mmCIF file of all heavy atoms in Angstrom:
data_model
loop_
_atom_site.group_PDB
_atom_site.id
_atom_site.type_symbol
_atom_site.label_atom_id
_atom_site.label_comp_id
_atom_site.label_asym_id
_atom_site.label_seq_id
_atom_site.Cartn_x
_atom_site.Cartn_y
_atom_site.Cartn_z
ATOM 1 N N LEU P 652 1.526 -3.763 3.528
ATOM 2 C CA LEU P 652 1.746 -2.339 3.757
ATOM 3 C C LEU P 652 0.517 -1.538 3.349
ATOM 4 O O LEU P 652 -0.069 -1.789 2.291
ATOM 5 C CB LEU P 652 2.966 -1.880 2.943
ATOM 6 C CG LEU P 652 3.354 -0.404 3.011
ATOM 7 C CD1 LEU P 652 3.791 -0.021 4.420
ATOM 8 C CD2 LEU P 652 4.468 -0.117 2.007
ATOM 9 N N ARG P 654 -1.258 2.652 3.399
ATOM 10 C CA ARG P 654 -1.037 4.089 3.591
ATOM 11 C C ARG P 654 -2.383 4.718 3.938
ATOM 12 O O ARG P 654 -3.172 5.078 3.070
ATOM 13 C CB ARG P 654 -0.465 4.734 2.336
ATOM 14 C CG ARG P 654 -0.205 6.218 2.550
ATOM 15 C CD ARG P 654 0.511 6.839 1.366
ATOM 16 N NE ARG P 654 0.508 8.285 1.514
ATOM 17 C CZ ARG P 654 0.049 9.119 0.606
ATOM 18 N NH1 ARG P 654 -0.423 8.661 -0.539
ATOM 19 N NH2 ARG P 654 0.093 10.409 0.813
ATOM 20 N N ALA P 672 7.680 -8.589 15.679
ATOM 21 C CA ALA P 672 7.217 -7.350 15.043
ATOM 22 C C ALA P 672 8.083 -6.168 15.467
ATOM 23 O O ALA P 672 8.332 -5.262 14.664
ATOM 24 C CB ALA P 672 5.753 -7.093 15.381
ATOM 25 N N ALA P 697 11.917 7.957 10.669
ATOM 26 C CA ALA P 697 10.584 7.441 10.997
ATOM 27 C C ALA P 697 10.442 7.216 12.491
ATOM 28 O O ALA P 697 11.375 6.751 13.145
ATOM 29 C CB ALA P 697 10.333 6.128 10.261
ATOM 30 N N ALA P 702 2.016 -2.708 18.062
ATOM 31 C CA ALA P 702 1.034 -3.305 18.969
ATOM 32 C C ALA P 702 0.754 -4.729 18.484
ATOM 33 O O ALA P 702 0.768 -4.997 17.287
ATOM 34 C CB ALA P 702 -0.257 -2.495 18.993
#
Side-chain angles (χ1 to χ4, degrees):
L652 178 65
R654 181 174 169 235

